[in-house]
Amino acid sequence: MAIDLRSDTVTKPTPAMLEAMTKARVGDDVYGDDETVNAFELRMAALFGKEAGLFTSTGSLANQLALRSLVKEGEELLADEKAHVVRAELGAAAVLSGITTRTFSSKRSILDAESAFAVATPDAGPYLVSTTAIAVENTHNFGGGVIQPLGEIAKLHQLASSVGIHLHLDGARIWNAHVATGIDFKEFGRYFETISVCFSKGLGAPVGSMLISSKERIASARIWRKRFGGGMRQVGLLAAAAEFAFDHHLQRLATDHLNAKLLAEAIAEVDLRLVDLETVQTNIVGIDLTPLALTASQLAAELHSQGILTGALGSKYLRLVTHGDLTSDEIARAASTIQDSLKKSK
Ligand SMILES: Cc1ncc(COP(=O)(O)O)c(C=O)c1O
């Protein structure tokens, strides 16, 4: 079997998770009748110190419902240049909600509040686009899994709220940030008007994300979710899997973080320039192949032929993601195979 390091979304539900799904009390969620999802939405909202939650099929849908809630047509979202909402949601904010987007860059994809805020143009008048929301991704996927510093988030919140700009947290992997830092979810939650989280990444649920916010915003997002075709029926089956994942798989993310460090250190042993060890803070390792003649797709193909799946996300950028379906033997095998392939191309 291939060792799959493409993403933490590739995990399969465990037998215990499948059993929890079969025991879920369900109802038609479009009528508000599904007890399991209703209770889970309230539980997750409380975890982040918020009033309400809305279960969604994907993190992209949760993000897009948030952006739609915060930014009016023709207004602007600011986000990091490598943010998932910018690079990987296929223009949804523009296509679905008429939102324009501008980006700021950050060293190592780590938020610097003042330089991010410097790009904002609140109340820009009739000539320029007004900024009404800023998105922060924590942890940052295409930034190599880095954790955003709470102090910078607090500073950004202070600057943004002084001019009426709201913050959205793309917290698809906020679980990893919590496990790596020990920071309480309420601390992450208090600076953001809207929060999206995913149960289908490192936590290992087969499907499921959630938008978390105020009662008012969630009531409106519920309408938009249906309008976008995202209303689901006996969704408690999926919510039960997500809740099982949260209850049983959260602490094991620490193992994913250790495994990512093992892989990164093996790569650094070949050439220190290939991986920035300081950014390997959670379960993602970004390999920068600039010093070598090899491209990311060539290396991905070479590793594929040896049973290791990876993600070529740029001509010179290869991503490895650790997750719960990998054994320590598989990590060790992946590390030595990657080392050998890199050594060959030096
Ligand atoms: C940071 C981040 N946000 C949002 C998403 C979107 O999640 P989904 O694939 O469920 O739409 C992803 C998916 O990888 C992600 O990495």
Side-chain angles (χ1 to χ4, degrees), residues 151-169:
E152 290 303 306
I153 293 173
K155 203 191 287 175
L156 183 65
H157 175 256
Q158 192 199 352
L159 292 166
S161 57
S162 72
V163 291
I165 294 178
H166 290 305
L167 300 189
H168 168 63
L169 171 63

Side-chain angles (χ1 to χ4, degrees), residues 79-88 103-109 137 140-144 170 317:
D80 176 83
E81 62 184 340
K82 291 186 186 165
H84 194 277
V85 289
V86 172
R87 290 196 65 206
T103 58
F104 52 86
S105 44
S106 350
K107 206 168 156 205
R108 291 184 158 132
S109 301
E137 189 171 312
H140 195 311
N141 179 351
F142 301 132
D170 180 348
Y317 182 78

Side-chain angles (χ1 to χ4, degrees), residues 7-9 57-61 63 84-85 89 137 139-142 170-173 196 198 200-201 209 319:
S7 174
D8 47 11
T9 55
S57 52
T58 66
S60 300
L61 180 55
N63 277 340
H84 194 277
V85 289
E89 294 180 19
E137 189 171 312
T139 66
H140 195 311
N141 179 351
F142 301 132
D170 180 348
R173 293 184 182 77
S196 64
C198 291
S200 56
K201 309 286 184 310
S209 295
R319 187 186 69 173

Side-chain angles (χ1 to χ4, degrees), residues 178-255:
H178 163 77
V179 167
T181 61
I183 294 171
D184 194 275
F185 291 110
K186 285 195 182 65
E187 275 299 304
F188 284 120
R190 64 192 274 217
Y191 302 109
F192 296 93
E193 181 68 21
T194 52
I195 300 167
S196 64
V197 298
C198 291
F199 306 101
S200 56
K201 309 286 184 310
L203 291 184
V207 177
S209 295
M210 197 179 287
L211 174 64
I212 293 165
S213 187
S214 63
K215 272 189 190 155
E216 203 184 338
R217 286 192 190 278
I218 292 297
S220 163
R222 195 174 289 279
I223 293 167
W224 278 99
R225 183 186 65 175
K226 177 77 162 58
R227 195 167 277 140
F228 286 154
M232 294 185 281
R233 303 296 178 170
Q234 285 69 31
V235 73
L237 290 173
L238 299 180
E243 189 154 25
F244 182 93
F246 175 76
D247 285 335
H248 297 89
H249 297 171
L250 181 65
Q251 294 311 327
R252 59 144 299 282
L253 294 176
T255 306

